[in-house]
Amino acid sequence: MRIKIDASSGVPIYLQIVNQVRTQVALGQLKPEDPLPSVRQLAADLVVNPNTIARAYLDLEHQGIIYKRAGQGTYVSLRAVEMSKNERVRIFSELLEKALVEGLHLELDHSEMESVFRDLMTRVNGRDENGARGES
Amino acid sequence: MGGNSGNSVYESAGAALAPVESSAGVVIRTSNLSRRFGRVEAVRNVSLEVPGGCVCGLLGLNGSGKTTLIRLLLGHLRPSAGQVRLLGRSYQQDEPGIRERVGYVADARYLYEWMTVSETLDFTRAFHRTWDDAKVRSLIDRLGLPLDRKVAELSRGHRARLCLTLALAYNPELIILDELTAGLDPVVRREVLKNVIEEIGREGRTVLFSSHSVEEVERLADQVAIMHCGEVVVHASIDDLKQSQPAPMTLEEIFFKLVGSADGGRERR
């Protein structure tokens, strides 16, 4: 698990950890039953107060992303994968929102942006199918 | 999710945010603490409460009163007015009791320059009933302290590491660190901070540390106390402080908003 803390950010550190674990689960970099480092270990690795790590883990546990096995450690939960569908939608919509805002700055109207979106979909889908055919 | 687990969510989240152990209570308490040097009031009317199990970072510009406040907390200076209570006791009541349970690193920490590192450790050991030999050995290993070197010949980095070892050696409940990492290179700084973090992870440790580095406070502390012109102008949980701002703000921005630019503040000295 690779986590990067930006201590000069307005986002609380515990929230940075929560968001990065969620993203890694959504992207499949963390899979169900993968172990997470212990609170102490991660605190030492990131040079961050262990209370902060504990709080992030607690948050993730309550979201159902990770679970604790008594006396053994912390693992990515099975439920994390189905939850990660929502997470993937969230990440995508964030990306799209940025693009839409840029589009408005470029003074494109809704229908112009929609047609760009449809064209791109067609092109990317075509590429996907070609790729799939090429592999099989 | 059931009502019970909902309840425990609240309790545990609260514990992580502001870890107050019911048994530990308030570990540092000052009331209307002031100290003047001639005409200058270096610490003014400070009433600070740090709960047990909490890590509190003390931020402030040069001359804002951090070091004076710490010297007052350590009993190295007498207050001009107000009181200090550590672990529920005052220095007048029980100075030896406080000394046994408080570890510190401060610029003014007295070391005998002619002693070697290992002589210094043996010498200090004699004053502490709770001295932990195994812990000292592991700190020496990890920090790479040169046991045979004379204190006078130590580099700044080794000196800081020796002071930290002395401060942690007897497992004090309260640890007070004044500018622990000032002047250290990034590698030594990281190593020193890692050891502090390990110490924080132990049960029931309370830490107060001063620093110039906003980043260090952000990484290590649960709470921040910001000093300006001798006064504590803010004392709050860092996460609460960040989230209470109208727009997302970094701790550094909040700090500068409070204390102004370096030349905007009143000159203290």
Side-chain angles (χ1 to χ4, degrees):
Chain A
M1 189 170 77
R2 279 180 47 205
I3 294 203
K4 205 169 179 306
I5 297 300
D6 180 4
S8 54
S9 145
V11 183
I13 292 180
Y14 88 92
L15 216 54
Q16 295 183 31
I17 297 169
V18 167
N19 289 339
Q20 288 180 46
V21 170
R22 290 183 62 134
T23 303
Q24 288 183 25
V25 169
L27 297 175
Q29 291 162 350
L30 277 174
K31 296 187 176 58
E33 300 303 317
D34 276 356
L36 268 70
S38 70
V39 169
R40 276 173 173 229
Q41 186 61 54
L42 193 58
D45 289 350
L46 299 178
V47 194
V48 162
N49 183 336
N51 291 340
T52 305
I53 311 282
R55 185 171 181 202
Y57 276 19
L58 200 71
D59 240 47
L60 286 163
E61 207 182 331
H62 293 312
Q63 292 176 24
I65 308 282
I66 62 175
Y67 71 98
K68 283 203 185 80
R69 234 181 268 159
Q72 290 189 50
T74 308
Y75 298 84
V76 178
S77 73
L78 286 165
R79 262 181 67 205
V81 180
E82 51 186 272
M83 297 198 44
S84 77
K85 171 75 178 174
N86 297 334
E87 188 66 14
R88 295 198 298 267
V89 170
R90 187 188 64 81
I91 294 169
F92 179 61
S93 80
E94 263 178 23
L95 290 171
L96 208 56
E97 191 182 335
K98 273 184 209 146
L100 286 178
V101 170
E102 289 299 321
L104 289 174
H105 283 304
L106 295 168
E107 294 178 0
L108 300 178
D109 65 29
H110 287 198
S111 61
E112 284 169 319
M113 286 196 273
E114 261 179 45
S115 81
V116 172
F117 184 80
R118 263 194 301 269
D119 287 352
L120 273 173
M121 279 283 262
T122 322
R123 217 164 72 203
V124 171
N125 272 339
R127 199 189 293 158
D128 257 14
E129 278 159 26
N130 289 338
R133 239 175 270 139
E135 270 169 37
S136 57
Chain B
M1 202 174 266
N4 279 342
S5 58
N7 213 5
S8 75
V9 172
Y10 174 76
E11 281 171 14
S12 338
L17 187 60
V20 182
E21 283 168 47
S22 52
S23 59
V26 175
V27 165
I28 299 176
R29 172 175 280 137
T30 72
S31 31
N32 306 106
L33 192 65
S34 300
R35 169 72 202 207
R36 44 170 73 251
F37 296 106
R39 271 195 236 152
V40 181
E41 203 163 22
V43 165
R44 191 182 343 197
N45 213 19
V46 169
S47 296
L48 192 68
E49 285 187 4
V50 179
C54 179
V55 182
C56 180
L58 192 58
L59 264 181
L61 302 173
N62 286 331
S64 60
K66 301 188 300 283
T67 295
T68 305
L69 176 59
I70 284 182
R71 290 176 67 194
L72 288 165
L73 291 177
L74 290 171
H76 293 174
L77 270 179
R78 280 183 202 287
S80 309
Q83 286 185 338
V84 175
R85 291 180 79 83
L86 301 184
L87 300 149
R89 300 149 197 227
S90 70
Y91 282 99
Q92 292 85 345
Q93 281 172 338
D94 184 14
E95 174 157 354
I98 293 178
R99 298 256 171 258
E100 256 183 16
R101 296 163 67 193
V102 179
Y104 74 96
V105 174
D107 230 18
R109 170 138 211 157
Y110 195 81
L111 297 173
Y112 293 97
E113 302 289 326
W114 48 269
M115 284 186 183
T116 65
V117 169
S118 92
E119 283 165 349
T120 304
L121 289 166
D122 286 342
F123 177 75
T124 314
R125 183 180 193 270
F127 293 95
H128 293 282
R129 285 185 302 175
T130 53
W131 191 267
D132 185 339
D133 278 321
K135 185 177 181 182
V136 171
R137 250 176 274 127
S138 102
L139 280 166
I140 291 167
D141 269 7
R142 268 182 299 160
L143 295 171
L145 272 177
L147 286 173
D148 299 331
R149 190 97 47 94
K150 285 233 183 341
V151 169
E153 296 160 358
L154 292 179
S155 67
R156 193 196 275 265
H158 276 134
R159 220 182 161 88
R161 285 178 268 189
L162 174 59
C163 287
L164 184 65
T165 305
L166 292 173
L168 303 181
Y170 47 99
N171 287 316
E173 291 155 67
L174 171 60
I175 298 158
I176 296 179
L177 307 168
D178 190 16
E179 304 275 356
L180 176 65
T181 58
L184 300 185
D185 67 56
V187 177
V188 176
R189 181 171 162 260
R190 197 180 159 85
E191 193 49 50
V192 163
L193 290 179
K194 272 189 168 185
N195 281 284
V196 173
I197 280 176
E198 180 155 320
E199 192 65 28
I200 295 171
R202 292 175 183 239
E203 197 80 22
R205 294 285 195 272
T206 308
V207 181
L208 179 110
F209 71 100
S210 73
S211 180
H212 278 118
S213 159
V214 180
E215 191 203 326
E216 212 168 281
V217 170
E218 180 122 42
R219 283 177 178 274
L220 261 60
D222 302 301
Q223 303 184 340
V224 61
I226 297 178
M227 283 194 84
H228 187 47
C229 299
E231 290 174 275
V232 171
V233 290
V234 160
H235 179 211
S237 123
I238 293 177
D239 290 346
D240 287 352
L241 191 60
K242 276 187 176 179
Q243 283 167 341
S244 68
Q245 303 300 317
M249 252 185 161
T250 67
L251 184 57
E252 189 160 31
E253 288 166 336
I254 296 170
F255 176 57
F256 284 126
K257 193 177 84 175
L258 284 165
V259 306
S261 57
D263 54 11
R266 281 163 285 167
E267 192 59 43
R268 299 293 302 164
R269 274 159 218 252

